Amino acid sequence: MKQLVLTAMFVASTLLLSTAFTPVPVSTEPGKPLSQTATVKWQIDPSHSNVKFTVTHMVVSEVEGSFRKFDGTIEHSKPDLSDAKVNFTVDVSSIDTDNEKRDGHLKGDDFFNAEKYPQMKFESTSFTPVSGKNYKMAGNLTIRDVTKPVTFDVTYNGSVTNGGKSKAGFKATTKINRFDYNLKWDRATEAGALVVDKEVTVAVNAEFDKVN
């Protein structure tokens, strides 16, 4: 009987020791809670965002325009946004240059052909921190039936939580050659310069709402 009691005590002691030294799961990022490794999604707030473009006209001036309808999301799991995935679409028919006749021309086949190609699309391939709040965002831009790589300069304006809702702000700019996307109208001035320049500056000011 004494031998049986000693054996039982030995087994119990062994189990207690093995439990005490069982490894405890820890975060894959030292000092960061596990919750920060979960994917975070942001949805654009169109009422506090805009998509604008600028192009030189007749060599001596600039014409500005915008798109009134667009949508976009950002997904990331790293706090520094270095793994962010950005998707953005623009409704071509929503173009607005404050001139109805010009807008109609831009929607036609000389430029966007909005009836056949109703959306422009952008999908990021990388979101690289540069310094401070500045990033380089590379991705593929589709206009009409042409997809080409572009790089945006991005400024992250920070995030804020108010009333239990989190928001984040960004500004992204780039320049594209419209001829690369078959926006082909090429009428020239008497001096030989293009009436509408080939280089277009694109600027997106975006406010996003956190959705998870």
Side-chain angles (χ1 to χ4, degrees):
M1 184 66 179
K2 183 177 181 181
Q3 182 65 36
L4 182 60
V5 172
L6 290 174
T7 302
M9 291 177 62
F10 175 77
V11 172
S13 299
T14 302
L15 288 173
L16 286 171
L17 287 171
S18 63
T19 301
F21 288 97
T22 298
V24 177
V26 296
S27 169
T28 55
E29 295 182 89
K32 304 287 186 181
L34 288 172
S35 60
Q36 289 197 14
T37 65
T39 299
V40 178
K41 184 174 181 179
W42 303 79
Q43 179 73 45
I44 198 164
D45 175 0
S47 63
H48 296 101
S49 305
N50 55 68
V51 178
K52 296 183 177 181
F53 62 90
T54 306
V55 63
T56 299
H57 178 251
M58 299 288 286
V59 186
V60 297
S61 65
E62 291 186 342
V63 173
E64 296 181 342
S66 64
F67 293 92
R68 300 301 185 185
K69 295 181 180 179
F70 46 85
D71 193 17
T73 61
I74 300 174
E75 294 187 14
H76 69 95
S77 59
K78 295 182 179 180
D80 67 354
L81 303 174
S82 59
D83 65 340
K85 302 293 184 184
V86 180
N87 285 278
F88 210 92
T89 59
V90 173
D91 183 347
V92 174
S93 292
S94 71
I95 195 168
D96 183 2
T97 63
D98 202 29
N99 183 294
E100 187 175 347
K101 183 178 179 179
R102 179 169 56 215
D103 292 346
H105 189 198
L106 290 168
K107 294 175 189 178
D109 195 48
D110 281 342
F111 289 93
F112 290 103
N113 195 339
E115 183 176 355
K116 188 174 182 180
Y117 309 107
Q119 283 191 331
M120 292 187 291
K121 299 179 181 180
F122 174 80
E123 184 176 350
S124 71
T125 54
S126 65
F127 200 87
T128 307
V130 178
S131 63
K133 58 184 182 178
N134 299 313
Y135 293 78
K136 291 284 186 181
M137 178 174 65
N140 295 311
L141 175 64
T142 300
I143 301 176
R144 293 177 65 111
D145 57 347
V146 178
T147 301
K148 288 187 172 292
V150 298
T151 300
F152 282 83
D153 293 314
V154 178
T155 301
Y156 171 45
N157 296 320
S159 62
V160 63
T161 299
N162 184 43
K165 296 181 179 180
S166 296
K167 288 182 171 287
F170 299 84
K171 181 177 182 179
T173 59
T174 192
K175 292 182 179 180
I176 63 171
N177 184 334
R178 64 183 178 88
F179 291 148
D180 289 344
Y181 296 91
N182 289 336
L183 307 184
K184 55 196 175 185
W185 196 70
D186 61 355
R187 185 171 297 177
T189 66
E190 292 181 359
L194 289 171
V195 172
V196 177
D197 195 35
K198 64 182 181 180
E199 185 177 82
V200 182
T201 300
V202 180
V204 180
N205 286 286
E207 185 174 299
F208 287 85
D209 294 321
K210 187 177 179 181
V211 294
N212 73 334

